mmCIF file of all heavy atoms in Angstrom:
data_model
loop_
_atom_site.group_PDB
_atom_site.id
_atom_site.type_symbol
_atom_site.label_atom_id
_atom_site.label_comp_id
_atom_site.label_asym_id
_atom_site.label_seq_id
_atom_site.Cartn_x
_atom_site.Cartn_y
_atom_site.Cartn_z
ATOM 1 N N TYR A 838 3.461 -19.832 1.969
ATOM 2 C CA TYR A 838 4.718 -19.681 2.696
ATOM 3 C C TYR A 838 5.673 -20.828 2.375
ATOM 4 O O TYR A 838 6.614 -21.095 3.116
ATOM 5 C CB TYR A 838 4.467 -19.667 4.208
ATOM 6 C CG TYR A 838 3.914 -18.372 4.764
ATOM 7 C CD1 TYR A 838 3.527 -17.324 3.937
ATOM 8 C CD2 TYR A 838 3.772 -18.199 6.135
ATOM 9 C CE1 TYR A 838 3.014 -16.146 4.465
ATOM 10 C CE2 TYR A 838 3.269 -17.027 6.675
ATOM 11 C CZ TYR A 838 2.884 -16.007 5.828
ATOM 12 O OH TYR A 838 2.387 -14.833 6.346
ATOM 13 N N SER A 839 5.434 -21.527 1.267
ATOM 14 C CA SER A 839 6.183 -22.745 0.978
ATOM 15 C C SER A 839 7.674 -22.499 0.779
ATOM 16 O O SER A 839 8.491 -23.397 1.027
ATOM 17 C CB SER A 839 5.596 -23.447 -0.250
ATOM 18 O OG SER A 839 5.643 -22.596 -1.391
ATOM 19 N N ASP A 840 8.056 -21.306 0.319
ATOM 20 C CA ASP A 840 9.488 -21.021 0.158
ATOM 21 C C ASP A 840 10.189 -20.960 1.509
ATOM 22 O O ASP A 840 11.351 -21.346 1.637
ATOM 23 C CB ASP A 840 9.692 -19.688 -0.586
ATOM 24 C CG ASP A 840 9.365 -19.791 -2.059
ATOM 25 O OD1 ASP A 840 9.275 -20.931 -2.555
ATOM 26 O OD2 ASP A 840 9.175 -18.757 -2.709
ATOM 27 N N MET A 841 9.482 -20.464 2.521
ATOM 28 C CA MET A 841 10.048 -20.329 3.854
ATOM 29 C C MET A 841 9.824 -21.586 4.691
ATOM 30 O O MET A 841 10.673 -21.967 5.503
ATOM 31 C CB MET A 841 9.431 -19.106 4.555
ATOM 32 C CG MET A 841 9.940 -18.833 5.944
ATOM 33 S SD MET A 841 9.395 -17.236 6.592
ATOM 34 C CE MET A 841 7.608 -17.444 6.630
ATOM 35 N N LEU A 842 8.679 -22.243 4.482
ATOM 36 C CA LEU A 842 8.295 -23.420 5.263
ATOM 37 C C LEU A 842 7.860 -24.523 4.298
ATOM 38 O O LEU A 842 6.695 -24.581 3.893
ATOM 39 C CB LEU A 842 7.157 -23.072 6.219
ATOM 40 C CG LEU A 842 7.483 -22.051 7.314
ATOM 41 C CD1 LEU A 842 6.203 -21.531 7.953
ATOM 42 C CD2 LEU A 842 8.387 -22.672 8.372
ATOM 43 N N PRO A 843 8.759 -25.423 3.903
ATOM 44 C CA PRO A 843 8.441 -26.389 2.846
ATOM 45 C C PRO A 843 7.565 -27.562 3.274
ATOM 46 O O PRO A 843 7.009 -28.245 2.420
ATOM 47 C CB PRO A 843 9.826 -26.891 2.422
ATOM 48 C CG PRO A 843 10.660 -26.746 3.648
ATOM 49 C CD PRO A 843 10.155 -25.506 4.340
ATOM 50 N N ASN A 844 7.418 -27.812 4.576
ATOM 51 C CA ASN A 844 6.633 -28.972 5.010
ATOM 52 C C ASN A 844 5.165 -28.790 4.654
ATOM 53 O O ASN A 844 4.553 -27.778 5.027
ATOM 54 C CB ASN A 844 6.794 -29.198 6.509
ATOM 55 C CG ASN A 844 8.200 -29.600 6.894
ATOM 56 O OD1 ASN A 844 8.946 -30.113 6.072
ATOM 57 N ND2 ASN A 844 8.572 -29.365 8.144
ATOM 58 N N ASP A 845 4.599 -29.774 3.963
ATOM 59 C CA ASP A 845 3.212 -29.647 3.506
ATOM 60 C C ASP A 845 2.394 -30.913 3.711
ATOM 61 O O ASP A 845 1.265 -31.008 3.240
ATOM 62 C CB ASP A 845 3.182 -29.257 2.020
ATOM 63 C CG ASP A 845 3.912 -30.257 1.122
ATOM 64 O OD1 ASP A 845 4.352 -31.313 1.627
ATOM 65 O OD2 ASP A 845 4.050 -29.976 -0.083
ATOM 66 N N SER A 846 2.952 -31.895 4.408
ATOM 67 C CA SER A 846 2.266 -33.180 4.583
ATOM 68 C C SER A 846 2.566 -33.748 5.965
ATOM 69 O O SER A 846 3.560 -33.374 6.602
ATOM 70 C CB SER A 846 2.719 -34.188 3.518
ATOM 71 O OG SER A 846 2.573 -33.665 2.214
ATOM 72 N N TYR A 890 6.466 -33.644 7.048
ATOM 73 C CA TYR A 890 7.508 -33.750 6.032
ATOM 74 C C TYR A 890 7.166 -32.906 4.811
ATOM 75 O O TYR A 890 6.056 -32.357 4.693
ATOM 76 C CB TYR A 890 7.721 -35.207 5.624
ATOM 77 C CG TYR A 890 6.496 -35.893 5.057
ATOM 78 C CD1 TYR A 890 6.270 -35.950 3.670
ATOM 79 C CD2 TYR A 890 5.551 -36.493 5.893
ATOM 80 C CE1 TYR A 890 5.147 -36.584 3.149
ATOM 81 C CE2 TYR A 890 4.426 -37.127 5.378
ATOM 82 C CZ TYR A 890 4.237 -37.175 4.010
ATOM 83 O OH TYR A 890 3.125 -37.785 3.497
ATOM 84 N N SER A 891 8.110 -32.828 3.904
ATOM 85 C CA SER A 891 7.932 -32.044 2.681
ATOM 86 C C SER A 891 7.823 -32.973 1.477
ATOM 87 O O SER A 891 8.713 -33.795 1.230
ATOM 88 C CB SER A 891 9.109 -31.085 2.482
ATOM 89 O OG SER A 891 9.049 -30.478 1.207
ATOM 90 N N SER A 892 6.751 -32.813 0.710
ATOM 91 C CA SER A 892 6.566 -33.637 -0.491
ATOM 92 C C SER A 892 7.571 -33.284 -1.586
ATOM 93 O O SER A 892 7.696 -34.004 -2.577
ATOM 94 C CB SER A 892 5.139 -33.472 -1.027
ATOM 95 O OG SER A 892 4.902 -32.122 -1.423
ATOM 96 N N LYS A 893 8.287 -32.185 -1.398
ATOM 97 C CA LYS A 893 9.329 -31.816 -2.362
ATOM 98 C C LYS A 893 10.527 -32.754 -2.262
ATOM 99 O O LYS A 893 11.332 -32.846 -3.193
ATOM 100 C CB LYS A 893 9.794 -30.376 -2.108
ATOM 101 C CG LYS A 893 8.735 -29.315 -2.346
ATOM 102 C CD LYS A 893 9.278 -27.931 -2.021
ATOM 103 C CE LYS A 893 8.216 -26.856 -2.211
ATOM 104 N NZ LYS A 893 8.715 -25.499 -1.849
ATOM 105 N N PHE A 894 10.653 -33.438 -1.120
ATOM 106 C CA PHE A 894 11.838 -34.256 -0.888
ATOM 107 C C PHE A 894 11.529 -35.734 -0.683
ATOM 108 O O PHE A 894 12.433 -36.562 -0.754
ATOM 109 C CB PHE A 894 12.602 -33.725 0.336
ATOM 110 C CG PHE A 894 13.172 -32.357 0.138
ATOM 111 C CD1 PHE A 894 12.442 -31.230 0.494
ATOM 112 C CD2 PHE A 894 14.417 -32.187 -0.440
ATOM 113 C CE1 PHE A 894 12.960 -29.947 0.294
ATOM 114 C CE2 PHE A 894 14.940 -30.922 -0.647
ATOM 115 C CZ PHE A 894 14.213 -29.801 -0.279
ATOM 116 N N TYR A 997 14.657 -24.102 11.352
ATOM 117 C CA TYR A 997 15.337 -24.738 10.228
ATOM 118 C C TYR A 997 16.546 -23.916 9.775
ATOM 119 O O TYR A 997 17.592 -24.460 9.437
ATOM 120 C CB TYR A 997 14.361 -24.922 9.067
ATOM 121 C CG TYR A 997 13.132 -25.722 9.445
ATOM 122 C CD1 TYR A 997 11.918 -25.096 9.714
ATOM 123 C CD2 TYR A 997 13.190 -27.105 9.562
ATOM 124 C CE1 TYR A 997 10.794 -25.815 10.076
ATOM 125 C CE2 TYR A 997 12.069 -27.840 9.930
ATOM 126 C CZ TYR A 997 10.876 -27.187 10.185
ATOM 127 O OH TYR A 997 9.776 -27.911 10.552
ATOM 128 N N TYR A 1007 16.976 -33.000 2.289
ATOM 129 C CA TYR A 1007 16.073 -32.084 2.985
ATOM 130 C C TYR A 1007 16.862 -31.123 3.871
ATOM 131 O O TYR A 1007 16.690 -29.899 3.810
ATOM 132 C CB TYR A 1007 15.080 -32.892 3.823
ATOM 133 C CG TYR A 1007 14.158 -32.074 4.706
ATOM 134 C CD1 TYR A 1007 12.905 -31.676 4.254
ATOM 135 C CD2 TYR A 1007 14.531 -31.716 6.004
ATOM 136 C CE1 TYR A 1007 12.045 -30.941 5.069
ATOM 137 C CE2 TYR A 1007 13.688 -30.988 6.822
ATOM 138 C CZ TYR A 1007 12.446 -30.603 6.349
ATOM 139 O OH TYR A 1007 11.612 -29.874 7.156
ATOM 140 N N ASN A 1010 19.181 -28.750 2.060
ATOM 141 C CA ASN A 1010 18.464 -27.597 1.525
ATOM 142 C C ASN A 1010 18.332 -26.498 2.573
ATOM 143 O O ASN A 1010 18.523 -25.311 2.281
ATOM 144 C CB ASN A 1010 17.076 -28.028 1.047
ATOM 145 C CG ASN A 1010 16.276 -26.880 0.475
ATOM 146 O OD1 ASN A 1010 16.556 -26.371 -0.598
ATOM 147 N ND2 ASN A 1010 15.245 -26.460 1.208
ATOM 148 N N CYS A 1011 18.021 -26.891 3.811
ATOM 149 C CA CYS A 1011 17.955 -25.901 4.901
ATOM 150 C C CYS A 1011 19.328 -25.281 5.152
ATOM 151 O O CYS A 1011 19.454 -24.067 5.361
ATOM 152 C CB CYS A 1011 17.451 -26.563 6.186
ATOM 153 S SG CYS A 1011 15.751 -27.162 6.122
#
Side-chain angles (χ1 to χ4, degrees):
Y838 283 7
S839 59
D840 287 344
M841 181 170 62
L842 296 165
N844 294 337
D845 58 6
S846 306
Y890 59 95
S891 171
S892 63
K893 295 178 182 178
F894 295 91
Y997 303 101
Y1007 175 93
N1010 180 71
C1011 295

